[in-house]
Amino acid sequence: MESVSDSDSVRLEVSACLRCLSSSDSSRNITVLQTLLSYLDEASHGAAQRAQFSRSHYSRTLRVLITTIEADWVHRLTARQREELWDALFLRGPPEQALLVLLEAIGELRWASLKIKIRAKFLQDGRLTNLLWSYCVGSAQSDSPQLRETLLGRLSALPDIMANKLHHNISPLFLPQQYYPLLASAMLTALQRTCQALRGQHQPDNINCSLAFVSQTLGKLCLQGHGGLVLAAMAPRLSACTRSDMVWQRVCWKLFESIPQRSMECVLTALVLAVSGPESLGRIVGNLVLRNKKAEFVITHKLLLLQYKYETGVLRTVLGYLAADRDRRPLLIQVLRCICQAWANPSAVKHTPMEQQLYVSKALLLSVSLLKDQELQDLRSELLQCLLGGMQSHLDSSVLRIRCVGMVVGECLSSRMDNADTKLKFEYEQDEETRELLSLMTPSGWCEPEPVDGVLQHNIILTFIHKSSDDELTPYDMTEDQEVSQTSPPRYLRDCLESLMSSEDAMRVELSLKAADPLVRRNAFAAREVRISVQMSKVLLHMEDKYNIQGFLILRHAAMVALAVTDCIPVTQYLTTEFYSLNYSLRQRLDMLEVLVAAAQELSLPTTDKKNSSIISALDVAELPPFQGHDPVHWRQVVEKRIQSKTRRISKGASQPATAKATPNRYAPVAGYFFFPLLKNYDKPEVTFDLLGSDHLVLGRLIHSLGLFMHLAVNAPVAAQMGSALLDFVWTVRYHTDQCPNPILILDIGLISAKKKKNYCCISLHLKCQICIVFIGFIKVIFQDLLIFYFLQL
């Protein structure tokens, strides 16, 4: 009964205080703020009363304070009173509740400077650290899976949320370059407190610490693409702390073991790029690769065989990590066997890019250099078979660069096996590439420096380099020199396509890519001939930037848009069909949507050329005023007046904006080709693509594109069918939990109540995934004929 009375007394006193805040008495309201603040002080109230206030009344108190921020008595508070009373209520309570309430109030821009200042103080005063630490020790208030998921979404997307609401009024503290390192520092502080608690220096004995929430936060950040900023700040500190402290090592191992499976690849990839070497990686993650299958796949397969965009340092870190521990060395042997098969595969030599072949060759040499003598003898037969088969495949190639790589790798392997019968020697021209391959056989030459106090010692090297001065050398006059190009841009569309498909000349490929857009638009008939447009779209879609062409993505996008506009139906059918096909990356699927959106926007522009003059003249004739006895405007006005006279209004809001005037364009006849094929297979997950599951980024872009397709077809006859289909689609994802940094879709569909009172009803669908554009005034156009028909029947 005592606990019940304490709960009632807290509830009654807090309710009375909140009612008093609506008055204009400044002195009384100051007393009220002091009373509310006392519930956050250990010396003023008991533990049960403070817990009751934090659990049941704290969030409501903050919301009331937010609503009274424009009151006169708030303006009369001095700066010290505002800091000690007002700000303290936000900064001394449960941090997770304060953060959510502050983010709820972002949209209210009145007195935004005061609220932005409070949010900045929230970040600067270590409240993020307190939030993470409260979840480490299990002291977070009102903990639930829904609250955790909400907090993870807000913490990981805070810069996007602030930018979407505040635009140019955002503080620099909320920019990604400052916020994410600050959040990384908060996670490091929470880990440090955990280590102190485990040693008994910060908390009582027998404390139970959990790193699940910190791991989920790190995984969410890396999954959304911020792993580079976060781990660039965390990795040096973790490497320095784990060098001689076993408690830090165990805490780091537990941190990365608790990473969710869907985020494991992003976290490990960012960590490998951020650490200084294999020793640092081994101290931070331990034997994670042996305990987690996803981590094993990423380390032993994906970073070595599937992805080849990384520098040689990544290979050294990964392979050195596998070779550094006795328990992990069997994985090194397994990796070496897979690399040997990939390097000796004749099909891979013919069809994989040169960059990937060079990447695999480096991995092969590094793996062999890390083998011990006994391991080398056990693998001798397999290495010899790889040497013979791979040498034949490389030397049979017509590309000089591939033959040189095969010669260098053959020499290195035969020298490592140290057999006089198989030792090889070739004559080739040495360059930077071959010298790098030869240097990989010396492990002592690629040991990377360890960080000292979290900072690499590369500044010393840069200082030494800058001491070398070239001031004494006389510069050669090259002002009148001109770059001479022996390659001319293609003049025909087929020549352009052939260069993009098979040319090994970087200059020719660049000129062909730059000429693709104007060639397609100038030769529309040639683009439609034998469906060359579809073939060229396929080549551009699969094209990679092998030669580091400036503006490559922009040029490729412009060429694909030109193809989609020139030969609309075949190219659109190809892109919408391939969107749900297998073996496409998420980037390629996003490229398809971007091309379709850009093409639809261009096609929706009003037609003004002479080719469509007959269509325009026909429409102009149709717009002449008809016979007055059959004037559609006349009876529409009668119906409108009848509706207005029989409609009851509680309050009259702003009038609806006028519908845009319909103009002839090329998009209306083909709008269905853009829209409906994308709705066919969205609920069928494939091996490499799960639209309604983990690939929510593509889902957000898809809904955004579908909404835009429907918006551009606002005056087309098919618009009503598109609206109905889009409503059915978005209804299936209304409970989606992931968020994308795009505007919110609010789709208002006006329906008619089939009763005698003829009232209007409006259904508002608010998607949680926040992934589309706003349609205002569109519904009147779609359902205008339906409304008129219904009221004429009454």
Side-chain angles (χ1 to χ4, degrees), residues 457-473:
Q457 294 180 342
H458 64 278
N459 294 331
I460 302 176
I461 302 174
L462 293 178
T463 304
F464 176 78
I465 293 176
H466 289 172
K467 288 181 179 180
S468 176
S469 176
D470 295 336
D471 294 340
E472 299 178 358
L473 300 178

Side-chain angles (χ1 to χ4, degrees), residues 97-135:
Q97 299 184 40
L99 177 64
L100 293 178
V101 172
L102 286 173
L103 291 179
E104 288 177 3
I106 289 179
E108 303 175 5
L109 297 180
R110 292 173 300 178
W111 287 91
S113 59
L114 177 58
K115 290 182 280 189
I116 294 173
K117 182 179 178 182
I118 297 175
R119 298 185 191 103
K121 283 186 178 181
F122 187 91
L123 299 183
Q124 294 172 343
D125 291 352
R127 299 299 291 165
L128 288 178
T129 301
N130 295 339
L131 191 154
L132 297 171
W133 174 242
S134 65
Y135 278 93

Side-chain angles (χ1 to χ4, degrees), residues 129-363:
T129 301
N130 295 339
L131 191 154
L132 297 171
W133 174 242
S134 65
Y135 278 93
C136 290
V137 296
S139 61
Q141 300 290 336
S142 304
D143 187 19
S144 65
Q146 294 79 8
L147 179 60
R148 283 200 175 203
E149 190 64 30
T150 303
L151 278 175
L152 287 174
R154 299 295 188 271
L155 286 174
S156 59
L158 184 60
D160 295 327
I161 297 173
M162 299 290 290
N164 287 339
K165 295 294 184 180
L166 301 179
H167 303 292
H168 298 292
N169 297 324
I170 188 172
S171 171
L173 188 62
F174 298 103
L175 297 178
Q177 293 77 7
Q178 296 189 28
Y179 170 74
Y180 290 112
L182 181 64
L183 183 56
S185 177
M187 288 191 285
L188 287 171
T189 306
L191 295 178
Q192 183 178 4
R193 291 185 182 180
T194 302
C195 294
Q196 294 174 354
L198 294 177
R199 296 191 186 98
Q201 299 177 2
H202 185 71
Q203 292 288 340
D205 297 336
N206 301 325
I207 188 172
N208 185 17
C209 294
S210 173
L211 298 176
F213 186 78
V214 181
S215 300
Q216 293 170 5
T217 303
L218 179 58
K220 192 79 170 181
L221 292 171
C222 294
L223 192 63
Q224 293 188 356
H226 309 298
L229 289 173
V230 174
L231 286 172
M234 293 184 65
R237 176 75 181 278
L238 295 178
S239 177
C241 292
T242 55
R243 188 176 297 115
S244 59
D245 194 333
M246 286 300 301
V247 177
W248 261 102
Q249 290 185 14
R250 297 297 297 272
V251 168
C252 289
W253 297 352
K254 187 63 177 178
L255 172 68
F256 287 95
E257 287 176 5
S258 304
I259 295 290
Q261 291 297 309
R262 62 181 298 188
S263 309
M264 184 63 70
E265 178 183 347
C266 304
V267 174
L268 282 181
T269 302
L271 180 64
V272 170
L273 293 174
V275 295
S276 58
E279 295 83 4
S280 177
L281 180 62
R283 293 196 305 268
I284 293 176
V285 301
N287 287 336
L288 176 66
V289 70
L290 301 177
R291 292 188 288 268
N292 191 291
K293 289 297 182 182
K294 185 66 174 290
E296 177 185 353
F297 173 75
V298 172
I299 293 293
T300 63
H301 194 76
K302 197 153 191 178
L303 292 178
L304 299 176
L305 295 174
L306 298 182
Q307 297 178 351
Y308 54 92
K309 61 183 178 181
Y310 304 114
E311 301 292 337
T312 310
V314 173
L315 289 174
R316 292 171 174 173
T317 300
V318 172
L319 295 173
Y321 164 72
L322 296 177
D325 187 80
R326 180 182 60 183
D327 296 332
R328 298 193 295 261
R329 288 196 72 88
L331 292 179
L332 177 65
I333 306 301
Q334 174 185 337
V335 165
L336 178 58
R337 290 192 173 99
C338 296
I339 294 175
C340 287
Q341 294 177 3
W343 188 79
N345 189 353
S347 178
V349 174
K350 292 181 181 179
H351 299 98
T352 57
M354 182 61 207
E355 287 74 13
Q356 185 173 6
Q357 298 183 39
L358 183 62
Y359 191 81
V360 173
S361 301
K362 293 178 182 179

Side-chain angles (χ1 to χ4, degrees), residues 29 203 218 249 392 440 455 472 540 603 654 751 772:
N29 289 331
Q203 292 288 340
L218 179 58
Q249 290 185 14
Q392 181 178 358
L440 297 179
V455 181
E472 299 178 358
L540 291 170
L603 291 171
L751 300 177
C772 210

